[in-house]
Amino acid sequence: MLVPPPSRLPTVAALAFDGMSPFELGCVVEIFGLPRPELRVPWYDLKVCAEDGEPMRVVGGFSMRAEHGLDVLASADTVIVPGVADVRAPVSPALVAALRKSFERKARIVSICSGAFALAAAGLLDGREATTHWKYADLLQRRFPEIRVNPDVLYVDGGQILTSAGSAAGLDLLVHLVRTDHGASVANAVARRLVIPPHRDGGQAQFIQAAVTPVGEDDAVARAMEWALAHLSDPISVADLARMAHMAERTFVRRFKAQTGTSPLRWVISQRVAASLPMLESTGAPVEEIGAAVGFESPVTFRHHFTRAMRTSPSAYRRAFSATR
């Protein structure tokens, strides 16, 4: 992100357009538009921008009008495109020009959900890894073959360019922006106010056409999962989990995968990695001790699984997100 002079707040410009869904823009407003004096850090100056000053229809049966135009969007420190009206339609030349100007100015440019199509139309994703909503991933790849589309992640941080998957994944990326700008403790405080986790493990694959398990059918599986979360520091086997669920192992594995979309041991590993994050962020304990505290047999095993899940090492994660940095 461009660093503003000390005399002004960093500006965030969000695009509004006719036919938009209010959710993604609402996420941007919730995080960057609300004053947060209790955090005691310079917050953001949010500008909602549109191509013209005409009223815009919003999904849900209401309309809105933006106070700012694309000139303000092109001059912001961070530009957020929360979607496009039609993923198959051309992007307006005016928006393409504004995005390219922002890029040339070294502004941070962010897309949520289908907003990646606007960035792609401006050529900003060529040669880059990017993501979008899983149901648009194939289309994005076909329309813009120069992009390395990753349909499995919640967001991609490419430095100046960041893209997120669909809808709620935009919240993950927006909290990540706050973490990048202000550190883990501020991002965690914002996440708590939103009643969301400051970091979600996993990717979009867990949400693609997954069957919904009826409530009550897998209470035994839930009981086993609850037990595992309380005993992450202990050795945990499939046999242990099946015993807690009062099921045969094969039955338990089948039920578990139907409910979660993954295997029991992979789930345990992901929970151990997730449990290590607050320890890396808020304590100075050695990485080896943290790995042991969340149940990994050795530092090598901890580093292997952490890097595979987080795409960075425990030490690098601590340097980036430590609350004491």
Side-chain angles (χ1 to χ4, degrees), residues 120 125-129 140-141 143-149:
L125 300 181
D126 289 356
R128 294 176 179 267
E129 182 182 3
L140 182 65
Q141 188 67 84
R143 287 193 59 193
F144 303 98
E146 301 85 1
I147 304 172
R148 301 193 306 276
V149 178

Side-chain angles (χ1 to χ4, degrees), residues 283-301:
T283 77
V287 168
E288 294 78 8
E289 289 184 12
I290 292 175
V294 297
F296 287 104
E297 294 179 354
S298 70
V300 173
T301 304

Side-chain angles (χ1 to χ4, degrees), residues 16-264:
F17 52 89
D18 189 62
M20 72 182 304
S21 167
F23 178 80
E24 290 83 358
L25 180 61
C27 292
V28 177
V29 173
E30 180 72 23
I31 289 185
F32 298 109
L34 293 183
R36 301 187 184 274
E38 72 279 7
L39 298 179
R40 298 183 180 179
V41 295
W43 208 237
Y44 303 90
D45 181 13
L46 176 65
K47 311 285 188 183
V48 177
C49 306
E51 290 199 33
D52 55 49
E54 296 300 314
M56 294 168 286
R57 295 166 298 172
V58 180
V59 173
F62 63 97
S63 63
M64 63 173 286
R65 189 194 304 266
E67 293 185 0
H68 305 284
L70 293 184
D71 56 331
V72 172
L73 182 137
S75 65
D77 302 313
T78 297
V79 173
I80 302 177
V81 182
V84 295
D86 185 345
V87 295
R88 292 173 176 81
V91 176
S92 76
L95 178 57
V96 166
L99 291 173
R100 288 175 176 169
K101 182 177 179 180
S102 297
F103 180 75
E104 292 167 0
R105 294 179 49 254
K106 307 299 183 185
R108 181 169 61 185
I109 304 177
V110 179
S111 69
I112 299 173
C113 195
S114 63
F117 285 82
L119 274 58
L124 305 187
L125 300 181
D126 289 356
R128 294 176 179 267
E129 182 182 3
T131 194
T132 185
H133 194 293
W134 57 263
K135 72 176 182 179
Y136 301 139
D138 288 344
L139 179 61
L140 182 65
Q141 188 67 84
R142 290 196 306 271
R143 287 193 59 193
F144 303 98
E146 301 85 1
I147 304 172
R148 301 193 306 276
V149 178
N150 186 341
D152 298 326
V153 295
L154 295 177
Y155 60 82
V156 173
D157 182 346
Q160 185 182 358
I161 306 290
L162 302 94
T163 56
S164 88
S167 299
L171 276 172
D172 295 283
L173 178 51
L174 299 179
V175 171
H176 171 72
L177 296 180
V178 174
R179 185 184 301 112
T180 300
D181 293 345
H182 296 293
S185 60
V186 171
N188 292 350
V190 172
R192 282 194 296 271
R193 284 159 177 75
L194 293 170
V195 199
I196 61 173
H199 172 83
R200 286 195 293 167
D201 59 313
Q204 289 196 81
Q206 62 189 310
F207 304 111
I208 299 175
Q209 298 298 323
V212 178
T213 303
V215 175
E217 179 180 331
D218 285 292
D219 286 349
V221 171
R223 183 168 59 249
M225 295 169 76
E226 184 177 5
W227 173 84
L229 291 174
H231 295 82
L232 285 178
S233 61
D234 302 328
I236 298 174
S237 66
V238 175
D240 295 329
L241 293 168
R243 186 168 55 253
M244 292 303 301
H246 304 294
M247 293 181 188
E249 284 188 40
R250 297 177 76 175
T251 301
F252 176 77
V253 170
R254 185 175 66 253
R255 291 278 191 89
F256 191 97
K257 188 166 186 178
Q259 180 171 333
T260 68
T262 189
S263 71

Side-chain angles (χ1 to χ4, degrees), residues 3-19:
V3 179
S7 58
R8 71 170 177 86
L9 298 174
T11 53
V12 175
L15 178 70
F17 52 89
D18 189 62

